[in-house]
Amino acid sequence: LLFLFFRCLPVQGQRYLLADMRVACDTGKWFDLQPWAVIFILLYMLGIPLIQFFALCCNREYLHQNNDDPKRHQRVNLRFGALYEEYKPSCWWVRPVEGIQRLALTGGVMLFGEYAVTRMLAGILVCVLWVVLLVFLHPYRARWDNILAVLISCELLLTLVLGMALELYKEASEFQGSTKDQFQSNSFGSLVVLSNLTIIVIGITGI
């Protein structure tokens, strides 16, 4: 719900809150509450992953079997095992980072304003950083999990790039007053569908 605070619709030179069109954006109470919305969004995006990271960091000596307190290891494993078991011992911290990445893609890009291209560019940068991390660290224990994670991230990156290209093409056509080339528009859509189908097929064959 916090992210809806920044969903505004321009109407005759004034932006209105999409969730309640009686509220004008950039003025009055909306403007006064904007800093608080940003603060709580950052707390939501960073707070949960940081709590997970802190819990794992405080118990990192007991995450795996090679420690001097088997009972504590068992308690830690039962409580936090879902956060680190699928990763290599040296990459116990990856799940909180992955949480930040997901929240940044699903809601964090809202902080970059109403311009769709700007949001997609922010999403592309997040995806690139995540792909680099996956390629260099190979954080998952299973080799196939690493391959699939990289492929899915690349597919998402390709989708965002195609979406940004389509948005820029649409705006360029409107600016020039020319008619959109339907073939080019369909080509963008076909590439997105093809990339998604490819990942689905790869995922099914890997099960």
Side-chain angles (χ1 to χ4, degrees):
L1 293 177
L2 282 171
F3 298 113
L4 295 178
F5 185 84
F6 294 95
R7 294 294 302 275
C8 297
L9 182 68
V11 178
Q12 296 182 351
Q14 174 63 52
R15 300 197 310 144
Y16 293 91
L17 190 64
L18 195 59
D20 186 353
M21 296 295 288
R22 295 171 298 178
V23 179
C25 299
D26 305 316
T27 60
K29 185 175 289 187
W30 187 96
F31 184 79
D32 294 336
L33 293 175
Q34 184 182 17
W36 291 103
V38 173
I39 290 172
F40 282 110
I41 285 175
L42 292 176
L43 284 176
Y44 173 70
M45 286 178 53
L46 301 176
I48 296 175
L50 285 178
I51 291 173
Q52 293 176 343
F53 177 83
F54 181 75
L56 294 176
C57 185
C58 290
N59 296 281
R60 58 182 174 179
E61 294 182 2
Y62 303 95
L63 298 179
H64 305 284
Q65 291 286 356
N66 53 343
N67 57 73
D68 56 358
D69 193 344
K71 291 184 177 180
R72 183 170 178 180
H73 162 70
Q74 187 176 7
R75 291 197 303 269
V76 170
N77 184 261
L78 288 173
R79 184 176 296 181
F80 305 116
L83 296 176
Y84 68 87
E85 282 187 325
E86 61 183 314
Y87 300 99
K88 296 176 181 178
S90 60
C91 297
W92 55 268
W93 50 269
V94 171
R95 175 55 66 84
V97 175
E98 184 180 6
I100 294 175
Q101 180 250 359
R102 290 177 179 176
L103 289 171
L105 287 176
T106 55
V109 293
M110 299 290 293
L111 299 176
F112 288 85
E114 291 295 313
Y115 190 37
V117 173
T118 305
R119 291 179 179 176
M120 284 186 279
L121 179 59
I124 288 171
L125 293 176
V126 172
C127 284
V128 168
L129 291 174
W130 182 244
V131 170
V132 170
L133 184 145
L134 291 175
V135 169
F136 279 92
L137 291 182
H138 296 89
Y140 295 94
R141 291 176 182 269
R143 179 173 175 271
W144 183 250
D145 287 347
N146 288 302
I147 295 174
L148 193 58
V150 171
L151 289 175
I152 290 174
S153 299
C154 289
E155 184 273 333
L156 179 58
L157 179 60
L158 176 61
T159 300
L160 288 171
V161 170
L162 290 174
M164 187 171 71
L166 185 59
E167 187 68 22
L168 290 173
Y169 174 69
K170 174 184 173 183
E171 292 183 4
S173 299
E174 292 176 353
F175 178 76
Q176 296 174 358
S178 58
T179 305
K180 289 196 299 183
D181 188 337
Q182 195 61 36
F183 175 77
Q184 289 189 8
S185 298
N186 292 338
S187 298
F188 284 124
S190 299
L191 285 173
V192 172
V193 172
L194 180 61
S195 63
N196 281 277
L197 287 176
T198 302
I199 296 299
I200 291 173
V201 171
I202 293 174
I204 291 174
T205 56
I207 296 176

